[in-house]
Structures are given as structure tokens and as C-alpha cells.
Amino acid sequence: MTINAGSEATDPWALLLATDWNSVDHCCPDVAPETPVILAGLLDDDENVQRRAVRDLGHAVTHQNSIYSATAPAARFVIAVLDHPRTMTPGTYFHDERCRPLRAALLEWLGDLADEATYDEDGPGEPEDVAAVRAVIPLIYEAARSHFAEADLLIRESAVYAAAMTLAVPKLAVHIPELEPLVRNTLSASEYGGYRYMAKRCLVTWGVDPGPLPDPWVSDPEAMDPWKEGCSDDPPF
């Protein structure tokens, strides 16, 4: 299957095979599956394998919001598979307890990654690893933008969130006027408190009056915790 990513067509399996995974690593190579195994699992025919793979993606490839040498190539693969039919597998992923398609969770992971890579000057990782992720951020924006019109509301929310998180990159800030109404009308109205909070954060950061928005906080603080699902901060997962 060949998927359009920006102006170029990308075969995700060719991308997986072309990457020298022996030269990169994630946080827990002795415990979690190898990165290509995690990535291939995202498209497995077994839905339980898919759900474990997306959990491992968050817990190993971006463990505790950190960036590793395997993170950027993993992000490129995730971008390439967003339109794959297997990403419509429903489930509860990460810290959003709503049942939603895997595609929504992958878009959210990309948005989280863009936010982590740009939140401060140094970034949460080795300089070369952070730089590699920052080079992928324009691709994240384009991939997210292509899902703004998805029929599924939860995918649209994640797409708007992912795109909004990329706009800290100066050359992407030109898209703020396009994203502002989407953030205001989609994220601020989300049932998920984390998105409502991020909507307010984005609007304030962009110098836009957020106006009357729903309460950005959820009643249960654990609902904001990405380590919910009974996982500890330490391996094994």
C-alpha cells in the first residue's frame, strides 16, 4: 500500500525496511519490543497486538515524554500509515478513556511529540535526536491537516490537536489564522478535558483572546495521566 505524505508517496513497509534500526534505540531495549516490531504491530491483523503496539509506542519510543534516536524514524512510519485501513481499529488508547479509532491515537501521539520537541529550547533528549524530530514536524502538520475533514469527530479532534502542536515552529506559525477557529470550535468543545485545556493554552500562546471556553480541567486528575492503564514509570510495561 502506498500512502501520500505531503507531496511524496511513501510505502510504509519500504520505509520500515529501509531504516537501519540497529543504529537507533528507544528507552528500554532490554524490556520493550524493538521499535520495528512495535511499528509493525500497529497494523497487525490481531486487534490486541495493535493495542499493545500503540501502548509500547508511547511507553518506549517516547518514554516519559522523552525523545530517543528511534523516535524520529518511528514518527515517519506513523505518518506514513495514518490512512491505512487497520488504523480504524477501535479501542481506548493512552489517557483518553473514550473508545476511538487507532488513527486518532496515532495523531495524538504525533501532536504530543511535536509539543515535546518544541516546548523548550533544548528539548527532552540528545540534541541530534531532538533535531531529527523537529525536522519531521512539518510532515506532522501536513499529515494532520489532511484529516481535518474526517467523518469521525474523534479523529478530527486529534488531527486539529496534532496540527496545533506543530505551530510553535516559526515557519509553521503562518497557519495560526487557519487553526484558530478549528481549535476554538473543535478542541474547546471536546468531551476530553485534556483537549479543552490545550485549546486554551494554544489560544493564549498565539495571543488570541480565548473568550468564554468550557472548563479546561477534568474532575478526575488521573484522566490527564498518560501512565494510567495500570502502568508504572519503570519497565517492564
Side-chain angles (χ1 to χ4, degrees), residues 42 54 57 75 78-83 87-88 93-94 100-115 139-150 152-166 195:
L42 295 174
V54 75
L57 183 71
V78 169
I79 290 168
V81 303
L82 280 175
D83 288 335
T87 66
M88 293 304 291
Y93 304 102
F94 301 136
R100 55 183 178 156
L102 173 58
R103 184 174 298 167
L106 294 179
L107 282 161
E108 181 179 295
W109 182 80
L110 290 169
D112 288 347
L113 181 58
D115 189 32
L139 300 180
I140 294 176
Y141 172 79
E142 292 297 335
R145 187 172 183 271
S146 70
H147 292 279
F148 287 171
E150 283 268 4
D152 188 290
L153 172 61
L154 302 187
I155 295 176
R156 293 202 308 275
E157 286 182 0
S158 295
V160 171
Y161 166 74
M165 293 301 98
T166 70
Y195 283 167

Side-chain angles (χ1 to χ4, degrees), residues 147-225:
H147 292 279
F148 287 171
E150 283 268 4
D152 188 290
L153 172 61
L154 302 187
I155 295 176
R156 293 202 308 275
E157 286 182 0
S158 295
V160 171
Y161 166 74
M165 293 301 98
T166 70
L167 301 191
V169 175
K171 70 178 183 180
L172 295 177
V174 66
H175 299 295
I176 288 176
E178 175 189 2
L179 263 292
E180 178 192 339
L182 293 174
V183 167
R184 189 181 297 279
N185 297 329
T186 303
L187 288 193
S188 68
S190 174
E191 292 181 359
Y192 174 50
Y195 283 167
R196 298 199 304 273
Y197 168 75
M198 294 306 292
K200 186 170 184 178
R201 197 193 91 178
C202 285
L203 294 172
V204 170
T205 299
W206 297 341
V208 177
D209 180 4
L213 295 177
D215 182 0
W217 298 103
V218 289
S219 58
D220 179 8
E222 290 187 359
M224 290 284 288
D225 183 3

Side-chain angles (χ1 to χ4, degrees), residues 33-120:
E34 295 180 355
T35 304
V37 175
I38 294 173
L39 298 178
L42 295 174
L43 302 183
D44 198 273
D45 290 337
D46 186 327
E47 293 184 358
N48 290 323
V49 172
Q50 287 185 283
R51 295 184 181 107
R52 286 195 299 270
V54 75
R55 186 178 68 177
D56 289 339
L57 183 71
H59 288 177
V61 182
T62 49
H63 178 68
Q64 292 186 326
N65 302 322
S66 296
I67 290 172
Y68 302 89
S69 56
T71 307
R76 291 180 181 274
F77 179 85
V78 169
I79 290 168
V81 303
L82 280 175
D83 288 335
H84 195 288
R86 293 296 297 156
T87 66
M88 293 304 291
T89 300
T92 53
Y93 304 102
F94 301 136
H95 41 285
D96 189 335
E97 294 184 339
R98 299 175 297 174
C99 184
R100 55 183 178 156
L102 173 58
R103 184 174 298 167
L106 294 179
L107 282 161
E108 181 179 295
W109 182 80
L110 290 169
D112 288 347
L113 181 58
D115 189 32
E116 290 150 11
T118 58
Y119 192 77
D120 58 35

